[in-house]
Amino acid sequence: MKLALTTELQILAKCEPTKSKDGQSTYYKLTVLQGAEAGQVNCPEAVYNTVKAGDKAVFNMEYNSEYKSLRLLGIAQMSNDKK
């Protein structure tokens, strides 16, 4: 089952992109903060190229129960609040 959700996150850092073993794909991750919890989440290249450390945004995300994975799909709304 795939569950869609939206959540506000603050970007703490952009992780260095990594290549797949066969070199065909590149994976992008962001280090994010939500409340007092921080962690890394996968994201598409377009989102990776759009955000910068310190940005707050509401993101569209998807949880896949089959793979027990959470991934960021895109930006729903950028915030002007830079607390």
Side-chain angles (χ1 to χ4, degrees):
M1 170 191 262
K2 292 182 181 179
L3 301 172
L5 58 125
T6 57
T7 190
E8 183 177 30
L9 302 171
Q10 182 174 6
I11 309 302
L12 295 178
K14 293 166 72 169
C15 303
E16 192 67 33
T18 57
K19 292 275 189 188
S20 60
K21 290 181 183 181
D22 64 8
Q24 299 275 338
S25 301
T26 303
Y27 301 106
Y28 300 90
K29 285 186 178 184
L30 300 171
T31 302
V32 297
L33 175 70
Q34 183 183 49
E37 298 289 325
Q40 293 184 344
V41 64
N42 293 321
C43 70
E45 182 181 11
V47 172
Y48 183 88
N49 291 333
T50 301
V51 299
K52 63 183 184 296
D55 283 351
K56 285 186 180 179
V58 176
F59 292 95
N60 295 318
M61 301 186 76
E62 178 183 80
Y63 176 74
N64 186 322
S65 62
E66 182 179 347
Y67 297 106
K68 295 182 178 28
S69 66
L70 179 67
R71 68 182 182 134
L72 193 151
L73 300 174
I75 299 171
Q77 177 184 3
M78 289 295 288
S79 174
N80 291 329
D81 183 17
K82 303 281 186 182
K83 289 183 183 175

